[in-house]
Amino acid sequence: MSMLQAIPLSIQTILLLVASNIFMTLAWYGHLKNLATAPWYVAAFASWGIALAEYLLQVPANRIGFQQAGYSVAQLKIMQEVITLAVFMPFSVMYLDQPVKLDYLWAGFCMVGAVFFIFRNA
């Protein structure tokens, strides 16, 4: 049994979603710091290359989650959004030097509500 097979399918799904979101966030917002003075098309192509890594993780995450772990598409989408917010907040504060806002907390509470409603009858 390989090490990956020892990890429950639900955890594999979540870990792949987290990893894909790190790449996604870097692709979408990293150019604001790294390539701030580069022409937009340079930033777009660099972001596109990073986004490929995101897709290479996102697609198996959704396939494992839907086909093997038994998550619905709606559950996968809400997980994706919660993970996106959880990755984006520290990225924006630590990497892009954006101020911490109370709105992040309120957005998090809204996402907790979304998780509750999408998983309550599961």
Side-chain angles (χ1 to χ4, degrees), residues 19-35:
S20 75
N21 263 279
I22 291 169
F23 283 105
M24 179 190 73
T25 301
L26 188 58
W28 285 12
Y29 302 103
H31 62 87
L32 297 175
K33 184 173 183 176
N34 308 47
L35 301 170

Side-chain angles (χ1 to χ4, degrees), residues 6-96:
I7 300 172
L9 294 170
S10 58
I11 301 299
Q12 287 181 38
T13 301
I14 292 167
L15 291 174
L16 286 167
L17 287 174
V18 168
S20 75
N21 263 279
I22 291 169
F23 283 105
M24 179 190 73
T25 301
L26 188 58
W28 285 12
Y29 302 103
H31 62 87
L32 297 175
K33 184 173 183 176
N34 308 47
L35 301 170
T37 60
W40 71 267
Y41 52 86
V42 171
F45 280 110
S47 294
W48 187 50
I50 295 167
L52 175 62
E54 185 254 334
Y55 281 104
L56 292 174
L57 296 166
Q58 178 75 9
V59 170
N62 284 325
R63 290 174 69 96
I64 291 168
F66 183 74
Q67 294 173 346
Q68 298 173 15
Y71 290 120
S72 70
V73 174
Q75 289 170 330
L76 286 167
K77 183 59 180 170
I78 292 300
M79 274 195 281
Q80 172 71 23
E81 296 304 327
V82 169
I83 291 167
T84 297
L85 187 59
V87 168
F88 176 75
M89 288 187 306
F91 178 86
S92 68
V93 170
M94 295 187 303
Y95 188 75
L96 295 175

